[in-house]
Amino acid sequence: QVQLVESGGGLVQAGGSLRLSCVVSGNIFSINAMGWYRQAPGKQRELVAVITKGGSTNYADSVQGRFTIDRDNAKNTVYLQMNSLKPEDTAVYYCNADVTNTFPGGVIYYTRRDYWGQGTQVTVTS
């Protein structure tokens, strides 16, 4: 019922930049936090950056100062601007959204859960 469509991944040389986008659609009553995670081969998935609905942000130490997360609530979209990319940034990047769904009927009720994008590959060469 909720889909996250990512774009912007690709191949880039060290020092270059990429901008990832993630559009959320479907049964959306509201979106709370949104974020980006990444997983490199042989590694556990890790948090890259998160942003609350109000705009508060948090970054992994490894990307602090290089990456910027932003969101457009009117478009249900979250962005990750990645600058000064390093080979160690190579990973599959996943978009995440904390979504509240609504189900109208005899009684209106709500559910809330995290949804994930399919992942987009970012490869940084030296």
Side-chain angles (χ1 to χ4, degrees):
Q1 298 188 104
V2 174
Q3 298 82 40
L4 281 66
V5 179
E6 301 163 322
S7 62
L11 179 68
V12 66
Q13 292 189 42
S17 298
L18 287 172
R19 183 172 175 82
L20 306 183
S21 299
C22 174
V23 181
V24 185
S25 62
N27 188 336
I28 302 171
F29 177 76
S30 63
I31 304 177
N32 192 14
M34 305 177 78
W36 291 93
Y37 295 73
R38 68 186 182 187
Q39 187 167 19
K43 300 285 188 177
Q44 292 198 86
R45 185 171 60 187
E46 65 175 353
L47 173 73
V48 177
V50 293
I51 184 168
T52 68
K53 188 175 183 178
S56 297
T57 59
N58 190 34
Y59 298 91
D61 290 341
S62 59
V63 307
Q64 185 76 50
R66 299 188 296 119
F67 291 10
T68 302
I69 189 170
D70 195 15
R71 65 189 287 171
D72 186 335
N73 291 333
K75 297 180 179 179
N76 293 147
T77 300
V78 63
Y79 307 93
L80 185 68
Q81 179 67 46
M82 304 185 293
N83 298 324
S84 302
L85 283 162
K86 305 174 180 179
E88 50 263 44
D89 295 318
T90 296
V92 177
Y93 284 70
Y94 296 92
C95 178
N96 171 267
D98 177 1
V99 179
T100 298
N101 314 285
T102 184
F103 299 90
V107 175
I108 298 174
Y109 67 99
Y110 304 89
T111 62
R112 178 174 175 176
R113 59 160 284 186
D114 284 339
Y115 292 88
W116 294 89
Q118 78 287 346
T120 184
Q121 178 70 47
V122 172
T123 302
V124 184
T125 63
S126 59

